[in-house]
Amino acid sequence: MDNLTPSDLFSPSKARQQRAQAQDWAQIESWLSYKYAGRTMPTFERNEETLKVLRELSTANERADEERVIQERLEREALKELDEAQPHPDDTHILSTLTAALTTPGSTALASLASAAIHLNTSTPTPETIAHTLIHQTSVSHSLSNHLTHIHALQKYLEKQHSLLRAQLSELQSDPAFSTPVSLQRQTNDQARQTKHLKAKIREYEDKLATLSATQGRAPKNADMASAEAILEMLEQQKLGDQLRERVEGLEKEVQAFAGLPADREAARREVGKLELELDTVRRRREVLFEDLVGKGRV
């Protein structure tokens, strides 16, 4: 709601958008309060990008909670079915006969084979199948461990870059060199007023020049308007008009430099800081690309 201007109050679409954003922020705050369970929530910048990320995170969290609830219910039902299932008498007789006929090492091997088949979730508990499944599980576990290590390193790098960007942002916000001058609004108004005045002067001199040219065209060849004094006066007026035109163009360029900034000083300061941050990001990206090109050239 901080970006709401007086003109937005008369725009139904903007008011509706601001109201929807306020509702989204209220839902996000309620969700964070529930997740932190009485602990202090971390402070963060409230803008559209942060709101978008928090909405996606909330949606993903709710989806994960639903999937976990479904998985727990399925596990409970499966355990209930296993508890209720009664073994067939023939199977029990065969198992007891086989167990009685096995030696102690054989019984231990059979228990190990059954335990491995259960933990590896193999449909055919043969030594070959268990061996292939164990190799596959080991390979997947090693790959996941490598990915997890890479993600941890990437997370540390991102946290470091985040701290650097926060420090640079704080420096840009506190550095007087990047602050908007107090007299910026007054200078802009003065230059706009001078530009308007000079435009009026240029139109006045252009009208006079057109009138003089028309009068000279209607006068006879031997008239006084063709004298040297009239020509010199016309050249002086034309020179003065060119100077005024150049001055107006210069003032228009100076005013154009401030055209994209908001009228409010704080808003203009934030816009300048944002542009400086984007410029710094582009510079770092250019340096990384240049280093990559240099590295490839050396190879």
Side-chain angles (χ1 to χ4, degrees), residues 195 197-210 212 232-250:
T195 302
H197 176 70
L198 291 176
K199 283 184 177 180
K201 285 291 185 182
I202 288 177
R203 286 194 297 269
E204 180 183 351
Y205 284 116
E206 286 179 349
D207 293 339
K208 289 182 179 180
L209 183 61
L212 183 62
L232 289 176
E233 183 180 359
M234 182 180 65
L235 292 175
E236 288 293 333
Q237 292 180 354
Q238 184 176 2
K239 182 178 179 181
L240 182 59
D242 293 338
Q243 292 176 354
L244 290 174
R245 185 180 293 104
E246 292 177 358
R247 185 178 177 187
V248 169
E249 291 177 353

Side-chain angles (χ1 to χ4, degrees), residues 3 5-7 180-189 255 257-272:
N3 298 328
T5 60
S7 61
T180 305
V182 180
S183 59
L184 176 63
Q185 186 66 28
R186 182 177 55 81
Q187 292 177 0
T188 304
N189 294 334
V255 173
F258 302 98
L261 293 177
D264 183 65
R265 182 178 64 184
E266 294 299 330
R269 182 178 300 171
R270 288 195 297 268
E271 186 69 20
V272 172

Side-chain angles (χ1 to χ4, degrees), residues 145-164:
S145 299
N146 290 337
H147 285 300
L148 187 60
T149 303
H150 176 70
I151 291 174
H152 285 165
L154 181 61
Q155 181 182 3
K156 291 181 179 179
Y157 173 76
L158 291 177
E159 289 176 352
K160 182 179 179 182
Q161 292 297 321
H162 181 266
S163 300
L164 291 176

Side-chain angles (χ1 to χ4, degrees), residues 4-32:
L4 190 62
T5 60
S7 61
D8 295 340
L9 297 176
F10 301 97
S11 176
S13 59
K14 291 184 178 180
R16 193 181 310 110
Q17 182 181 4
Q18 293 292 336
R19 187 163 54 252
Q21 288 183 357
Q23 294 176 355
D24 290 340
W25 277 118
Q27 294 177 357
I28 292 299
E29 290 176 354
S30 176
W31 173 69
L32 289 176

